[in-house]
């Protein structure tokens, strides 16, 4: 590529983006705030390195955490003339290496990749005569993932064990994991975390594997570095060997996966880990209005590693507005009416999102948007009435509506839900067991919201009508999403709902570290908005249902 084309790649960057792009060799730490054009910066940096001849395309590896993000990187690099550069997830890179080296090092074909831990865990539970439900198995799978990404053996896991799902003691959890590993070995299978562990083990144990891997890739770029786990960090160091040509990109304020093993300490400690690191700070926000940027800054002010964003536009925009409601249903109807008004004024549905903390919060929103005639799509989760536990509950409620004598609706629904694990008090921990409880509790709340005198048969008929009405296919639609699944996305208008203590921060976030992660999660949600940000909370799930909620402790900083 001619030199003029290389220079034009830099011409499109701001001053700090250009600093990062021109630092092609040695360690580079790019601290990139929300909406500051980090993807633009790293793709232009790679393309500039290729255009100037510093980077042979086939020796560059861009690493990220999702297939979607890797695909976006590949598309942008192709458009910039750097299509020969590899852009993959950590797992895809490690799997490719395993497929290549396994026959040489171990012999034969690589073990089969396990597509579901829960299914094998169910078989493992049977072998040790342990009876647990599907939600508990999903939580056990999450514990296995955390243990392995933290590079903990079972003995170390016992020493550092986290609180267990309600149905399992630590001893039985360890028994289940041992049985899982034995069964997996017998069947010659590996799970996704084993892919990274095996790739790291081969490089550590086999000098010729290490040499070949390091000859193939010379230059590394790692996106979302605040989300790297100890296992991923160690694998990256093994890929590098004694070299230091690595650029990491991240934002401490968007660290929202520590429960899964991520650690922002690798991003914060990068300059100490690599001598002579070039540090560039991207703080010019190109996404949001100044009013939204100011709110986001207030939310994170004084937090370690937090960047101070500056809006690129001078049009201040409206300050985020907080509204309070007496119930989740009232909040959902208010949001639906506001969105309907926006659509009536010409806004496109796909430019609007409603974000919330947990999946069960989608139910009143789905109902309210349907009633208002607003098309919507639930991102990253099954619609409420299609969830397995909700379907199970509906079928049992239908049966009960035929056989149960007349009695108060609350008691009838409560009896059915208790028979499949619902209790008045929620589980103490995050995870699939808690998610299941939230979904069943939402059905209980619907029963409490039903008009006085509603029979069980009428209530069940209403539930099935709601289920049927939400099968309409939509193309141009408002997005409903959890705060976690909204990461990396953006919309013109964002509604952040359920901003009450117990939801944000979530009730089981009791330690200071956990509450700080909840603050960062809210920051991620707020910075998804380009033009308008609406904040709301409800005093109860349903009128008269449980103790009154208080507004989120974070609202004072955000609004």
């Amino acid at each position: 590529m001619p030199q003029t084309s290389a220079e034009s790649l830099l011409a499109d960057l701001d001053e700090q983006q250009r600093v990062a792009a021109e630092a092609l060799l040695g360690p580079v730490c790019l601290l990139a705030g929300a909406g500051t054009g980090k993807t633009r910066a790293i793709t232009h940096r790679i393309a500039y390195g290729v255009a100037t001849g510093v980077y042979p395309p086939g020796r560059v590896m861009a690493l990220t955490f999702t297939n979607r993000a890797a695909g976006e990187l590949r598309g942008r690099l192709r458009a910039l003339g750097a299509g020969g550069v590899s852009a993959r997830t950590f797992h895809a890179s490690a799997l490719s290496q395993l497929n290549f080296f396994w026959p040489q090092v171990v012999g034969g074909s690589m073990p089969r990749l396990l597509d579901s831990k829960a299914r094998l865990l169910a078989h493992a539970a049977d072998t040790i005569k342990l009876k647990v439900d599907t939600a508990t198995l999903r939580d056990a799978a999450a514990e296995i993932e955390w243990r392995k990404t933290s590079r903990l053996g079972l003995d170390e896991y016992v020493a550092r064990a986290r609180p267990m799902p309600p149905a399992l003691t630590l001893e039985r959890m360890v028994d289940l994991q041992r049985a899982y590993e034995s069964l997996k070995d017998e069947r010659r299978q590996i799970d996704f975390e084993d892919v990274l562990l095996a790739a790291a083990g081969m490089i550590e144990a086999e000098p010729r594997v290490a040499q070949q891997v390091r000859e193939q890739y010379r230059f590394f770029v790692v996106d979302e570095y605040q989300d790297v786990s100890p296992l991923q960090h160690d694998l990256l160091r093994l890929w590098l060997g004694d070299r230091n040509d690595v650029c990491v990109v991240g934002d401490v304020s968007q660290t929202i996966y520590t429960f899964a093993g991520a650690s922002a300490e690798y991003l914060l400690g990068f300059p100490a880990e690599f001598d002579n690191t070039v540090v560039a700070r991207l703080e010019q926000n190109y996404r949001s209005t100044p009013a939204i940027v100011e709110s986001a800054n207030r939310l994170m002010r004084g937090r370690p590693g937090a960047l101070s964003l500056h809006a690129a536009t001078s049009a201040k925009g409206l300050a985020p507005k907080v509204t309070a409601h007496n119930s989740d249903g009232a909040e959902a109807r208010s949001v639906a009416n506001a969105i309907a008004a926006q659509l009536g004024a010409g806004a496109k549905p796909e430019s609007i999102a409603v974000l919330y903390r947990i999946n069960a919060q989608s139910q009143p929103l789905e109902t309210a948007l349907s009633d208002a005639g607003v098309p919507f799509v639930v991102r990253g989760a099954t619609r409420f009435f299609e969830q397995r536990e909700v379907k199970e509950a509906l079928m049992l409620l239908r049966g009960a509506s035929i056989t149960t004598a007349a009695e108060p609706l609350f008691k009838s629904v409560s009896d059915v839900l208790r028979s499949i694990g619902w209790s008045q008090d929620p589980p103490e921990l995050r995870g699939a067991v808690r998610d299941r409880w939230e979904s069943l509790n939402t059905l209980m709340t619907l029963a409490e919201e039903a008009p006085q005198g509603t029979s069980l048969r009428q209530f069940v008929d209403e539930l099935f009508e709601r289920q049927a009405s939400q099968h309409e296919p939509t193309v141009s639609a408002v997005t409903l999403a959890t705060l976690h699944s909204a990461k990396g996305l953006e919309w013109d208008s964002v509604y952040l709902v359920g901003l009450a203590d117990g939801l944000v921060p979530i009730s089981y976030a009791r330690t200071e570290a956990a509450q700080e992660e909840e603050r960062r999660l809210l920051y991620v949600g707020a910075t998804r908005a380009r033009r308008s940000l609406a904040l709301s909370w409800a005093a109860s799930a349903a009128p008269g249902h449980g103790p009154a909620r208080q507004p989120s402790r974070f609202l004072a900083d955000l609004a």
Side-chain angles (χ1 to χ4, degrees), residues 154-161 170:
L154 278 170
D155 291 340
E156 295 168 303
Y157 170 74
V158 170
R160 288 181 51 187
L170 175 58

Side-chain angles (χ1 to χ4, degrees), residues 27-31 65 90 146 148-152 160 222-237 246-252 255 257-258 260-274 277 279:
V28 177
C29 182
L30 185 53
L31 302 173
F65 286 82
F90 274 89
W146 177 76
K148 291 186 177 184
T149 57
S150 300
R151 298 208 83 174
L152 301 177
R160 288 181 51 187
V222 188
D223 195 12
E224 303 287 5
Y225 199 65
Q226 78 278 350
D227 289 335
V228 77
S229 69
L231 176 54
Q232 289 162 331
H233 169 265
D234 291 353
L235 184 57
L236 176 65
R237 290 307 307 254
V246 56
C247 171
V248 299
V249 189
D251 179 10
V252 172
T255 307
Y257 291 107
T258 61
S263 174
E265 294 305 311
Y266 296 118
L267 178 62
L268 288 171
F270 187 85
E273 184 177 1
F274 290 89
T277 294
V279 178

Side-chain angles (χ1 to χ4, degrees), residues 31-108:
L31 302 173
T36 58
K38 70 176 178 66
T39 304
R40 180 183 188 82
I42 60 176
T43 52
H44 280 246
R45 178 183 184 272
I46 294 169
Y48 180 68
V50 171
T52 54
V54 176
Y55 293 165
R59 302 197 70 194
V60 182
M61 173 62 76
L63 292 161
T64 189
F65 286 82
T66 67
N67 290 323
R68 182 184 63 81
E72 182 181 356
L73 283 177
R74 286 193 295 271
R76 291 205 194 190
L77 288 168
R78 279 195 301 270
L80 295 172
V85 170
S86 291
R88 295 177 174 175
T89 64
F90 274 89
H91 280 91
S93 297
L95 186 58
S96 175
Q97 291 173 13
L98 272 191
N99 274 317
F100 181 78
F101 288 113
W102 193 282
Q104 304 174 32
V105 175
V106 182

Side-chain angles (χ1 to χ4, degrees), residues 101-150:
F101 288 113
W102 193 282
Q104 304 174 32
V105 175
V106 182
S109 60
M110 196 186 86
R112 186 164 59 87
L113 191 60
L114 189 66
D115 59 358
S116 169
K117 286 188 182 70
R119 191 177 299 113
L120 189 64
L121 274 167
H123 295 155
D126 288 341
T127 67
I128 60 171
K129 296 180 171 52
L130 176 66
K131 291 187 176 181
V132 286
D133 60 19
T134 303
T136 299
L137 290 175
R138 290 202 298 269
D139 285 341
E143 281 296 294
I144 291 171
E145 289 161 12
W146 177 76
R147 174 177 66 81
K148 291 186 177 184
T149 57
S150 300

Side-chain angles (χ1 to χ4, degrees), residues 275-297:
D275 293 335
N276 302 314
T277 294
V278 173
V279 178
R281 300 167 70 91
L282 302 190
E283 297 177 305
Q284 185 83 329
N285 179 285
Y286 296 97
R287 176 185 298 158
S288 307
T289 64
I292 294 171
V293 168
E294 288 169 12
S295 292
N297 280 339

